[in-house]
Amino acid sequence: MKCDSCKAEIAPGDEREHLGKMICEDCYMEALSPMKACDPWAVHSAKTFEEHSTGTGKLSPLQMKILEALKTEGPMEPTELQTKLDINLKFSDLQREFATLRHMEKTRAEKRGDQVVWRLW
C-alpha cells in the first residue's frame, strides 16, 4: 500500500487513517502536530531552556547549517535555502527546524514584496 500523502510504501498494518486518507506514520505525525512558527508558549519554553542549560550542543548539526547558510548568504527563500544546504531533506522537515530556530529567536521570516524570506533574527 502507498501513502495517499507522500506516496511512500507502507508496510501492512502500519497505515493510519486520517480524514479519509490512508497515510504513513510520518505523514500522520505531521497531520496531528502541524508546524507552528509563531507559538508564544514554544518561544517562552525555548528561551527558558536556553537560559538554564549548561554546556554546548543546544543546536542540532542541521540547525547549525541553517544558521551558517543564512549568515553567509543572507536572507533567502525557503526553497533556495533547501537547495543551498545540499542535503536530502523533506521540505516539511526543514520547516520544522526553522520553526525551532524561530522559537529560540535565532531566525525569522520576513515578507519582501510578494515573497517570504528566512533570515537571522
Side-chain angles (χ1 to χ4, degrees):
M1 166 179 271
K2 287 191 183 271
C3 174
D4 289 339
S5 182
C6 71
K7 307 301 182 216
E9 281 294 323
I10 306 173
D14 286 345
E15 68 276 354
R16 304 282 189 264
E17 190 274 327
H18 182 69
L19 300 176
K21 292 183 176 182
M22 296 308 285
I23 57 178
C24 65
E25 188 171 357
D26 288 342
C27 291
Y28 187 67
M29 293 301 292
E30 286 179 23
L32 295 180
S33 176
M35 184 269 314
K36 290 193 274 185
C38 297
D39 183 344
W41 187 248
V43 171
H44 171 74
S45 297
K47 297 301 283 181
T48 302
F49 175 75
E50 189 172 31
E51 288 172 12
H52 293 87
S53 64
T54 58
T56 59
K58 297 176 191 171
L59 300 176
S60 72
L62 177 56
Q63 291 167 347
M64 289 189 285
K65 286 181 183 180
I66 292 169
L67 291 176
E68 185 60 33
L70 292 174
K71 182 179 178 182
T72 58
E73 301 287 330
M76 63 183 89
E77 291 184 48
T79 53
E80 182 183 357
L81 176 61
Q82 185 180 24
T83 303
K84 295 264 186 211
L85 292 175
D86 194 34
I87 54 176
N88 186 17
L89 181 68
K90 290 188 336 185
F91 188 69
S92 60
D93 292 337
L94 178 62
Q95 288 177 309
R96 269 189 201 286
E97 295 297 331
F98 175 79
T100 301
L101 290 169
R102 166 62 185 89
H103 297 153
M104 290 185 231
E105 296 184 340
K106 298 199 180 296
T107 60
R108 66 186 211 168
E110 179 179 287
K111 186 92 166 163
R112 291 194 177 171
D114 61 343
Q115 299 175 333
V116 174
V117 296
W118 289 355
R119 59 176 291 233
L120 295 176
W121 189 263

